Amino acid sequence: MDETRQREALLEAIENIADRIDEEREYLTELDSAIGDADHGANLNRGFKAVMEKLEAMDDDADVQEIAKTVGMTLVSEVGGAAGPLYGGSAMTASTELEDGITTESSVAFAEAFLEKLQDRGDARVGDKTMVDAITPAVHTYKKSIEQDDLPPLEALAKAVDAAERGVEFTVPIRASKGRASFLGWRSTGHQDPGATSTLFMLEEILAVAEQYLEGDTDVDAASPTIPDEEPEEE
């Protein structure tokens, strides 16, 4: 895609995410009421409304890196609790990977940088019952699908969304060990993490826009089409 179409696709994805968060606000609040502060839906909705106001005021020639950085900065300043610094700060850091636009390579680099910053800021790992449980399998699946399985970006993204959905399901039966939910101890078990859920909603909207701009439609299945070598890779 040329620069103009990249910009259009990114802006449409952000607008769709803002609309989805608004539609799911009450559901996210319901999930957060069980194990958190009951404010995840409202806080995130307020943040994305502020994002849309910022983007509408931006110059028409703003590139994708500037747009992604603006989204991050706005979420950091407008979203309360942990979600603002985690989503926003990670987007700000990862936006540097889009200096030369959105390509297959830069999209992988963006995803990896986002995950690394998210883990650093939240000091959370897979199994802590946080948004990391959704974004980690999504990023790993996306990277592996492109770099090891040689799949096209759209198919890789569809697999990443399926991986994130499985990550959300994974949060239900485990005990929280980070954030306010961890204060509940075993009582946090049996509840779906709201941060992991909002992460899935965002990825689903990105996939929907990617299908439109890359002119494709694909099955959402995280399973790999290849069988790994018998010898494990050295770390």
Side-chain angles (χ1 to χ4, degrees), residues 21 27-29 31-33 35-36 39-41 44 82-83 86-87 114 118 129-135 164 167-168 171 181 191-203:
I21 294 300
Y27 176 57
L28 292 172
T29 296
L31 293 177
D32 201 27
S33 297
I35 58 174
D39 58 3
H40 186 66
L44 209 53
L86 291 174
Y87 277 132
F114 188 97
L118 189 71
K129 200 182 184 84
T130 70
M131 60 182 69
V132 170
D133 291 323
I135 195 69
V168 171
T171 66
H191 298 283
Q192 184 171 309
D193 182 71
T197 306
S198 60
T199 296
L200 174 62
F201 291 159
M202 294 179 201
L203 291 173

Side-chain angles (χ1 to χ4, degrees), residues 71 110 116 122 150 177:
V71 171
F110 180 93
E116 182 178 359
D150 295 324
S177 54

